[in-house]
Amino acid sequence: MPSFTLPAATFENCLRDPITDLDVQLHRITVPPPDIHSESTPATTIAFDTQQELLWVGNEYGRITSFYGAELRRYTSFWAHPSHPRGDGEVKQVLFHERGVLSVAPTSVHLSSRRGLTQWHIATKTMKNLSCMSYMGKGNTFFVVAGCQNIMLKIDIERGRIVEEIPTEHEYTMMKYSHYICAATVSGSVNILDPDTLRIIKTLETPNSRICDMDARNNYLVTCGWVTRQQGTPMLASLANVYDLRRMVQLPPIPFAAGAAHVQMHPRMSTTCIIASHHGQLQVVDLMNSNTVNLRQANISSGFMSGLVLAPSGEAFALSDTSGFIHLWGSPSKMLFAEISNATEFADPQESYPAIAVDDDVYGFQRFALLTRLLTRHCRPLSTIGMPYYREQLLSAWTSTQLYEVGNPPGKIDPLILSDLRTSDTGSCARNPKKLRRNQAVKTRVVETEDPSLAAPKFLSEKARDPENHSPERRISEIQEAMVNAALNGSTKADVPIMYRNVEIKYSKFGVDDFDFEYYNKTQFSGLETHIANSYTNSLLQLLKFTPLVRNVALHHTATTCLYDTCLLCEMGFLFDMMEKAEGQSCQATNFLKTFSSIPEASNMGLLEENSHHTPLTVMMQAACRFLLEHSALDYRKVSPNTPEFNQTLAIEAPLSMRCVQCHNETIRDGRTYINDLVYPPINLVSRTRTQIPTFSQVLKASIERATQTRGWCDKCRRYQQLATRKSVRGVPDVLIINAAVSTAESKQYWAKPGWMPSEIGVIIDNGKFFCFEGEDLRLHVERGMHNVKVYELVGIVADINSGEHQQSHLVSLINTSISDRDSGLRDNWHLFNDFLVRKVSKTDALHFASSWKMPAVLAFQVVSGRHAVDDSWKDALDPTLLYIEYSINNQPPQNCQFLNPATEAPVAGSYVAIDTEFVALQQEEIEIKADGEREIIRPTRLGLARVSVLRGSGVDEGLPFINDYITISEPIVDYLTKWSGVHEGDLSTLHSSHNLVPLKVAYKKLWLLLNLGCIFIGHGLPKDFRTINIHVPKAQVLDTVDLFYIRARQRKLSLRFLAWYLLKEDIQQETHDSIEDARTALRLWRKFEEFRDAGVVDAMVEEVYREGKKWGYKPPGEAIGTAMMGRREKGRSTEASLGVPGFDGGRETPEILRGGSGPGTPVGKPRGLERRAGAATGEWESPAK
């Protein structure tokens, strides 16, 4: 049996490492035998776990055993590889992953969880003599397996599948990963492989005939092996070979007279190496100074040392010998295997029961008698309690023939399983989502909550009927109570604050207009609605809107003459302007999302929900952010190619240097990036202490300057070569947009650390180098003033929220709105934007992250000098040329239209214009009929803008149109609604239409120009028109004849047709609607109202109109014969009170299909739950005629 002794000198002095002592043997164990009747066998491989306090050992019979902690307490042992008489079950190597332990044997590859549960097992005919494996990059998604065979295998860890078979001319015995894959061949050379393509970059020749051990770490490779004597017998070489992986050259070898059998690089000291011989001699040496040698001897009485491995923490090492023993060495006070260990899961302890004393009372009669006396002394006997009398037979009296077991109802299949389901010969299988323990069953008899989202408020139509119970002061308390009820029902995680959870829009028969958005938002900042497809971008749009410099660029571009249909920068400007004018009212990004969805590149990149294929929202958001900024840069250059404002605001100027690895030819190209992904260094490699991790500024610097290797064309070599690329940062923008890129458990550890996210950072650019500082370092650099420090402050973040198992993940934004406030007195004013739910939160809550439910996706920093820099000078630079020229895509002039004269009719603040619009249906309403007959709206009708007519509201040509545009629609139209819109089939087709056709953007921009020039819009029922157009007009710029002739106490709004008949003595809308006629009628009604007001008879005239309307059923004679008394005949109700909600249908005659209408042109998002409608209002509400 071998024994080890070390001199008094400690490894602490040898390694010059002040945190560990390695001179104490803590424990010695034997490798478990294959069965109870066999002797212990030597270990074929040993390895320390990189994530838990476990030491793993594999033997020649395919069994893998793990030991926990410094005591090496046995944890798990499982048979990973079948062992046959030919000996192909020997465990060759072990790797560690988040999912478990990877192991390779000559004919199979195996993945098991650390508890021993098999995740997958691969054994194919191509696996003949495998011996080694390595990860392919830092992502640990794929790994390569090779051996003494002519095929290498690339395997997907998540799916457990062979992705690719790569032919090779070399036979490999071992592999190590450090930037490259270092693979030792049977001939003694080492091939340096590209981790992506597995092609040979460089072959390092060694003097060894065969390599027996090697290690690669921190750009250095150390090998040792056998050499052949003159007699032809092998012997261990007396030199350890050292190579620089950056320059691909050999460094001076390290002499080791005893014969180098094992080498290990220290995991925390980049140039320190330990070399060992078969007889136990150890040498610690610095690769950069090999003259300083520290020799130690581990005396071995019998056998040989067969293995040496250092723990990832550097605080322990393990030795294996040919006698079957494992020796653990280290310091008892500082022993840890992994740098940062995850908790190890243990089995539940067995319950212990109290022992019963044994005495002469064998049968226990004495104890039973004593127990009986104690019970009867203090309580009544059960026999004295009477039984109740039942008139019917009890279930307990049923005979066995009347009862039978039906079992539990089948449980619902987890969506994660369905998304990963794949078909095999024996059925279908999927990866285990690990939500249940072994043998744990789901209690399917428990009634599940059908709708896990938060309870919605009552509809506006319902509240109008009971206004005293729905005061605004109660709304916040109501939503809090609803959210608490959702948590009590088990639909959300207990640690997720109520305001972060999912919110959903419910639909009544009046559509989305009936939803009370004010219930969720009492602030001055507008939220964004979610009933539109791809509305996952809402949080990103909010973040960009509250970044003043981005907002300024978008609005200044929008004010130009840009008319490109796919310009996302214009659509952002339209949206930002609408949200500012709304001042807390809910908005929708309809037109932006319509444009976003129409760009082919967005679909090809999987940025649309319909093409996402179960892609996580965080990944889609980060890709959408990159696409949006890059596409906006192109849009900006189309109109302003010589203006650098966009790049100064958002672009990092970083020329790219590409150097050929073979010939060192270097090429420099201009580089510009608008967004950077954070790259997190492995914590166990960069940490100097167990509690210290790199700061945010250090991670940001490494991410921006990171060097990569790609395969590309070398002009000097005249062939494709491996190119080393690096960036030289020449300039940084005023706004830094950063993708958090949190995709692994290790990256989540960074954000889970309290205070890791700074609210301010400083950047210095010096000679192409990027330096970043935070906290005290930033303060000192600013005070010294030696460098030009550009200080940034955090504007906000987009965060991914996981509310619970029964809820979908969703995105929110947390924004410091004081940065974009015009009031310079505010410092911090953080708000949560959860779609249309907006609430003020503290800075601590906003910057607190939890790996279980809240992780960042996108960050935005802006220079401190940009605080409060809200620039509205774009309003003075508006180009109204579009209002004076003819624009048509089908070369048809506008009919009944005369353009404005810019010299005499230029729109100014206070100019009156009359407007009316028409719409068509792009998607029918979808409803569901429940078992009780109740109708439930799943999707409302989706409308598209078809025609816009704008008339002069004053002057000599009052009532003459200057805009009469038909809007081309590329989507299928399900209903032209000709009776109400006047639009016929073919009117919107570029091939057949005889009308002037314009794109939606042109029609929208004309209205947007009139709005920002200060025009006052006159019309009838305008709120619904503006909502469907997706524009917000302040109340000061709206004259709605519905409100002019309205008495709130009557709870009835009058139609345009009835007002025209009674006040103007005209019959309109006889066969169909015409937008010019309707706009002109509204203009004349306003003039009539002005006459009444000048005469002081407004109230009297409005009362007279209502009296006459009640007499005729609020419809012109001839249309409503027999309906005048309908209100009195139907359950005693009068139609006079049939519409008590201001703004509903706006007094317009609306077809049934339009009552549930949503925004124009953008697909309605798939609902996340069933929607309800206004139950009390069903069948009791009547839409007034227009």
Side-chain angles (χ1 to χ4, degrees):
M1 181 181 300
S3 62
F4 297 84
T5 59
L6 291 177
T10 64
F11 273 101
E12 178 181 357
N13 297 326
C14 301
L15 303 182
R16 295 174 283 104
D17 190 348
I19 68 169
T20 182
D21 298 306
L22 301 177
D23 58 348
V24 180
Q25 177 174 315
L26 298 180
H27 215 73
R28 185 181 68 178
I29 59 172
T30 58
V31 179
D35 55 67
I36 58 175
H37 302 292
S38 302
E39 296 181 356
S40 177
T41 59
T44 57
T45 182
I46 57 174
F48 284 100
D49 201 314
T50 59
Q51 300 184 19
Q52 296 189 17
E53 294 299 301
L54 297 173
L55 174 64
W56 294 85
V57 179
N59 66 11
E60 59 183 319
Y61 296 99
R63 180 169 291 276
I64 298 177
T65 307
S66 62
F67 303 91
Y68 177 77
E71 300 82 8
L72 294 184
R73 182 162 46 127
R74 190 164 175 177
Y75 180 62
T76 53
S77 181
F78 51 90
W79 194 30
H81 303 276
S83 180
H84 300 288
R86 62 179 183 270
D88 55 2
E90 177 183 347
V91 181
K92 295 289 188 178
Q93 187 182 350
V94 173
L95 285 180
F96 303 101
H97 190 264
E98 293 177 357
R99 295 187 56 190
V101 182
L102 284 163
S103 61
V104 61
T107 59
S108 60
V109 182
H110 188 84
L111 173 65
S112 290
S113 68
R114 288 173 172 81
R115 294 181 297 162
L117 299 176
T118 298
Q119 305 298 306
W120 48 257
H121 184 90
I122 304 177
T124 64
K125 295 180 179 180
T126 57
M127 298 179 179
K128 300 177 181 178
N129 193 4
L130 302 177
S131 59
C132 55
M133 58 183 172
S134 172
Y135 285 121
M136 299 178 64
K138 296 182 179 180
N140 294 353
T141 304
F142 301 96
F143 70 103
V144 59
V145 184
C148 297
Q149 58 181 47
N150 58 0
I151 290 178
M152 295 190 296
L153 305 175
K154 180 181 177 181
I155 299 178
D156 186 340
I157 298 179
E158 295 295 331
R159 297 182 177 273
R161 293 179 179 176
I162 297 176
V163 178
E164 184 179 0
E165 295 183 356
I166 303 99
T168 177
E169 299 176 355
H170 303 273
E171 297 181 353
Y172 297 111
T173 58
M174 63 184 65
M175 285 183 170
K176 298 291 182 179
Y177 176 80
S178 178
H179 301 295
Y180 303 101
I181 298 176
C182 304
T185 66
V186 294
S187 61
S189 61
V190 178
N191 287 339
I192 308 301
L193 306 181
D194 183 352
D196 298 324
T197 62
L198 297 179
R199 295 181 179 178
I200 299 176
I201 300 174
K202 179 77 173 179
T203 298
L204 303 176
E205 299 294 342
T206 69
N208 307 121
S209 60
R210 189 179 182 92
I211 293 177
C212 60
D213 198 6
M214 71 175 184
D215 197 10
R217 197 182 298 269
N218 299 319
N219 296 316
Y220 293 104
L221 171 67
V222 183
T223 68
C224 63
W226 300 88
V227 294
T228 305
R229 299 177 181 177
Q230 294 181 354
Q231 296 82 2
T233 58
M235 64 173 290
L236 289 172
S238 59
L239 293 174
N241 305 296
V242 183
Y243 299 90
D244 188 339
L245 295 179
R246 290 170 296 187
R247 296 180 296 161
M248 300 295 178
V249 296
Q250 184 174 5
L251 300 179
I254 301 172
F256 190 66
H262 307 283
V263 291
Q264 281 285 295
M265 294 289 293
H266 196 278
R268 297 174 56 188
M269 304 184 70
S270 59
T271 60
T272 300
C273 176
I274 301 176
I275 308 173
S277 71
H278 276 329
H279 302 287
Q281 182 174 327
L282 303 174
Q283 175 176 311
V284 182
V285 63
D286 190 336
L287 301 180
M288 298 294 100
N289 185 15
S290 58
N291 295 326
T292 303
V293 177
N294 296 276
L295 291 176
R296 296 293 177 265
Q297 178 66 44
N299 296 323
I300 301 177
S301 59
S302 64
F304 298 95
M305 182 190 299
S306 61
L308 168 67
V309 61
L310 276 170
S313 64
E315 298 177 0
F317 72 92
L319 307 173
S320 64
D321 57 49
T322 56
S323 298
F325 284 91
I326 303 295
H327 304 259
L328 179 65
W329 291 77
S331 172
S333 61
K334 301 179 181 180
M335 173 64 68
L336 274 181
F337 296 166
E339 180 66 24
I340 295 181
S341 300
N342 298 328
T344 302
E345 186 176 2
F346 290 92
D348 297 333
Q350 295 183 354
E351 296 183 5
S352 59
Y353 298 96
I356 300 177
V358 180
D359 52 18
D360 295 336
D361 184 17
V362 179
Y363 298 101
F365 292 134
Q366 295 177 6
R367 290 191 298 275
F368 178 76
L370 177 61
L371 180 62
T372 304
R373 287 196 299 271
L374 291 175
L375 290 175
T376 56
R377 181 183 303 174
H378 300 286
C379 57
R380 297 175 58 188
L382 290 177
S383 60
T384 62
I385 301 175
M387 296 292 291
Y389 177 73
Y390 298 96
R391 296 182 180 274
E392 65 276 357
Q393 186 181 18
L394 300 178
L395 295 180
S396 58
W398 285 15
T399 63
S400 58
T401 58
Q402 296 176 286
L403 302 174
Y404 57 93
E405 182 66 30
V406 296
N408 284 342
K412 294 182 179 179
I413 301 178
D414 194 294
L416 293 177
I417 296 178
L418 294 176
S419 64
D420 195 35
L421 202 63
R422 54 186 183 272
T423 304
S424 62
D425 296 337
T426 57
S428 299
C429 59
R431 180 168 55 90
N432 184 3
K434 298 182 182 178
K435 294 184 177 180
L436 299 176
R437 294 178 179 271
R438 179 186 293 179
N439 299 326
Q440 182 180 359
V442 180
K443 189 182 292 185
T444 56
R445 292 191 181 277
V446 177
V447 179
E448 296 183 359
T449 306
E450 291 187 357
D451 188 0
S453 57
L454 301 177
K458 286 190 175 182
F459 293 112
L460 295 176
S461 54
E462 294 175 327
K463 292 185 178 184
R465 304 174 70 88
D466 191 17
E468 64 276 6
N469 294 332
H470 298 280
S471 61
E473 291 76 11
R474 297 185 56 190
R475 287 177 176 169
I476 295 299
S477 61
E478 288 176 357
I479 186 173
Q480 291 177 347
E481 181 180 357
M483 292 180 174
V484 170
N485 291 337
L488 294 178
N489 291 335
S491 61
T492 56
K493 290 186 177 180
D495 55 349
V496 181
I498 55 178
M499 292 301 175
Y500 284 87
R501 299 173 188 167
N502 288 334
V503 288
E504 295 292 339
I505 298 177
K506 309 296 182 182
Y507 306 105
S508 74
K509 71 174 183 178
F510 298 106
V512 71
D513 295 337
D514 201 10
F515 189 77
D516 186 8
F517 290 103
E518 189 181 355
Y519 179 89
Y520 295 91
N521 182 10
K522 301 296 291 182
T523 70
Q524 60 179 330
F525 307 112
S526 297
L528 291 173
E529 300 171 13
T530 60
H531 64 288
I532 311 166
N534 304 310
S535 59
Y536 74 91
T537 58
N538 284 351
S539 54
L540 176 61
L541 295 173
Q542 290 280 16
L543 180 60
L544 297 177
K545 185 262 178 186
F546 283 99
T547 306
L549 299 183
V550 177
R551 173 256 185 204
N552 295 342
V553 170
L555 284 171
H556 277 280
H557 176 80
T558 307
T560 63
T561 57
C562 176
L563 294 178
Y564 293 102
D565 291 344
T566 59
C567 180
L568 293 177
L569 195 57
C570 278
E571 296 300 338
M572 278 198 294
F574 293 143
L575 178 63
F576 295 166
D577 183 50
M578 177 174 64
M579 295 171 68
E580 290 182 358
K581 288 181 170 62
E583 297 181 344
Q585 298 182 39
S586 179
C587 298
Q588 51 184 343
T590 309
N591 291 348
F592 173 86
L593 294 177
K594 174 182 173 63
T595 304
F596 178 75
S597 304
S598 66
I599 300 176
E601 291 84 352
S603 177
N604 297 336
M605 295 173 62
L607 303 182
L608 308 185
E609 290 176 345
E610 59 186 10
N611 302 327
S612 61
H613 304 297
H614 308 288
T615 304
L617 277 181
T618 303
V619 177
M620 292 180 61
M621 168 58 70
Q622 294 170 352
C625 182
R626 184 182 303 277
F627 171 78
L628 175 59
L629 296 180
E630 293 177 353
H631 196 279
S632 298
L634 296 175
D635 296 335
Y636 187 87
R637 287 196 293 269
K638 290 178 182 177
V639 179
S640 307
N642 300 321
T643 306
E645 182 182 1
F646 189 92
N647 290 338
Q648 292 174 357
T649 303
L650 286 164
I652 296 179
E653 301 294 339
L656 191 64
S657 172
M658 295 177 291
R659 181 175 56 86
C660 178
V661 175
Q662 296 292 334
C663 67
H664 305 292
N665 180 46
E666 187 172 10
T667 305
I668 298 178
R669 296 180 181 176
D670 292 336
R672 183 180 295 120
T673 57
Y674 298 97
I675 191 168
N676 286 275
D677 295 348
L678 292 182
V679 179
Y680 303 91
I683 296 179
N684 60 342
L685 293 180
V686 298
S687 298
R688 288 298 180 187
T689 66
R690 198 167 301 110
T691 59
Q692 180 182 356
I693 62 175
T695 64
F696 175 84
S697 56
Q698 292 172 340
V699 173
L700 179 60
K701 170 181 169 60
S703 303
I704 292 180
E705 291 187 330
R706 72 179 185 270
T708 60
Q709 286 208 355
T710 58
R711 192 160 183 83
W713 179 261
C714 177
D715 293 333
K716 186 175 181 181
C717 297
R718 306 301 298 173
R719 59 181 298 182
Y720 285 96
Q721 297 283 15
Q722 197 71 15
L723 302 179
T725 63
R726 62 180 179 86
K727 294 180 180 178
S728 299
V729 181
R730 302 300 183 190
V732 290
D734 295 334
V735 177
L736 286 176
I737 305 295
I738 303 169
N739 277 341
V742 181
S743 58
T744 63
E746 191 173 56
S747 58
K748 291 181 180 179
Q749 293 180 18
Y750 284 84
W751 293 96
K753 181 180 179 180
W756 190 76
M757 176 69 194
S759 57
E760 281 190 354
I761 59 174
V763 174
I764 298 175
I765 303 300
D766 187 17
N767 294 326
K769 297 293 184 180
F770 179 93
F771 300 94
C772 189
F773 305 95
E774 62 181 79
E776 187 65 18
D777 291 340
L778 173 60
R779 186 185 66 81
L780 292 176
H781 276 84
V782 173
E783 289 180 355
R784 292 170 183 170
M786 298 177 61
H787 301 279
N788 182 19
V789 184
K790 201 167 188 176
V791 182
Y792 294 83
E793 60 181 337
L794 180 65
V795 178
I797 59 175
V798 175
D800 179 61
I801 305 298
N802 181 15
S803 300
E805 181 179 352
H806 297 291
Q807 293 203 3
Q808 292 184 358
S809 173
H810 65 287
L811 298 168
V812 303
S813 51
L814 296 134
I815 303 172
N816 185 4
T817 58
S818 64
I819 295 177
S820 59
D821 201 315
R822 291 174 171 83
D823 182 8
S824 60
L826 293 175
R827 176 60 186 173
D828 286 322
N829 191 23
W830 286 85
H831 280 74
L832 164 69
F833 292 84
N834 184 3
D835 291 325
F836 52 83
L837 186 153
V838 184
R839 186 185 182 187
K840 186 174 182 178
V841 296
S842 67
K843 180 179 179 180
T844 303
D845 293 339
L847 301 185
H848 168 73
F849 301 98
S851 58
S852 60
W853 65 274
K854 179 185 177 186
M855 277 288 116
V858 180
L859 317 173
F861 285 88
Q862 181 182 263
V863 290
V864 175
S865 59
R867 174 180 279 263
H868 313 301
V870 179
D871 183 10
D872 288 333
S873 61
W874 58 271
K875 295 182 180 179
D876 301 326
L878 286 174
D879 189 346
T881 306
L882 188 61
L883 299 173
Y884 311 135
I885 62 174
E886 177 182 335
Y887 190 100
S888 175
I889 63 175
N890 62 338
N891 298 321
Q892 293 289 339
Q895 301 174 3
N896 304 321
C897 178
Q898 178 179 322
F899 297 109
L900 294 175
N901 186 342
T904 59
E905 297 179 303
V908 295
S911 299
Y912 292 102
V913 294
I915 183 174
D916 192 70
T917 58
E918 306 296 349
F919 306 97
V920 294
L922 303 179
Q923 186 177 13
Q924 298 281 9
E925 174 185 87
E926 295 183 18
I927 63 173
E928 181 180 81
I929 307 297
K930 292 188 174 181
D932 57 359
E934 183 181 0
R935 290 160 46 97
E936 192 165 39
I937 297 179
I938 304 302
R939 281 193 186 91
T941 303
R942 182 162 58 91
L943 305 178
L945 182 63
R947 184 184 179 188
V948 177
S949 298
V950 184
L951 287 60
R952 296 167 173 84
S954 60
V956 178
D957 295 325
E958 178 177 328
L960 183 63
F962 63 92
I963 296 177
N964 185 26
D965 293 335
Y966 284 74
I967 290 82
T968 179
I969 298 178
S970 58
E971 298 179 65
I973 299 175
V974 299
D975 194 343
Y976 283 88
L977 307 174
T978 303
K979 180 180 178 182
W980 295 275
S981 68
V983 179
H984 297 79
E985 185 175 359
D987 285 349
L988 307 181
S989 171
T990 55
L991 299 177
H992 306 97
S993 178
S994 60
H995 304 284
N996 175 49
L997 287 177
V998 300
L1000 174 63
K1001 181 178 179 178
V1002 173
Y1004 186 94
K1005 192 161 189 175
K1006 290 181 180 180
L1007 301 180
W1008 185 77
L1009 288 171
L1010 294 173
L1011 168 65
N1012 286 284
L1013 289 172
C1015 295
I1016 299 176
F1017 293 86
I1018 303 169
H1020 191 85
L1022 290 180
K1024 188 175 182 65
D1025 285 1
F1026 290 150
R1027 176 180 177 83
T1028 312
I1029 296 172
N1030 197 26
I1031 194 171
H1032 183 90
V1033 182
K1035 293 182 179 180
Q1037 291 180 245
V1038 177
L1039 287 173
D1040 196 333
T1041 52
V1042 165
D1043 297 325
L1044 297 181
F1045 298 96
Y1046 173 62
I1047 300 177
R1048 184 173 297 274
R1050 298 295 183 95
Q1051 297 186 349
R1052 169 55 116 150
K1053 292 187 175 181
L1054 305 176
S1055 68
L1056 180 66
R1057 185 176 184 185
F1058 175 76
L1059 291 173
W1061 170 78
Y1062 186 75
L1063 295 176
L1064 304 179
K1065 311 304 180 185
E1066 292 183 0
D1067 290 329
I1068 63 172
Q1069 303 172 351
Q1070 292 297 315
E1071 296 181 358
T1072 183
H1073 287 223
D1074 181 84
S1075 56
I1076 293 180
E1077 180 185 49
D1078 292 351
R1080 185 179 290 118
T1081 302
L1083 178 61
R1084 295 183 60 191
L1085 285 174
W1086 170 64
R1087 290 297 185 187
K1088 181 66 67 175
F1089 179 85
E1090 291 292 309
E1091 295 177 7
F1092 295 156
R1093 187 175 62 178
D1094 293 340
V1097 294
V1098 171
D1099 295 340
M1101 288 302 302
V1102 174
E1103 287 285 352
E1104 179 181 336
V1105 171
Y1106 270 91
R1107 286 195 301 271
E1108 194 69 18
K1110 187 175 181 180
K1111 174 181 177 183
W1112 294 100
Y1114 299 98
K1115 296 180 181 180
E1119 179 185 352
I1121 297 177
T1123 61
M1125 303 302 294
M1126 183 180 298
R1128 298 185 179 90
R1129 292 198 303 265
E1130 186 175 44
K1131 298 184 180 180
R1133 296 193 309 273
S1134 172
T1135 56
E1136 146 181 358
S1138 62
L1139 196 72
V1141 183
F1144 264 111
D1145 289 293
R1148 300 172 62 98
E1149 181 183 7
T1150 308
E1152 187 68 27
I1153 189 175
L1154 299 187
R1155 296 185 181 177
S1158 64
T1162 301
V1164 178
K1166 183 179 180 180
R1168 303 174 195 169
L1170 298 180
E1171 325 297 8
R1172 64 180 179 86
R1173 67 189 184 93
T1178 303
E1180 301 179 4
W1181 291 72
E1182 175 183 319
S1183 178
K1186 182 174 178 177

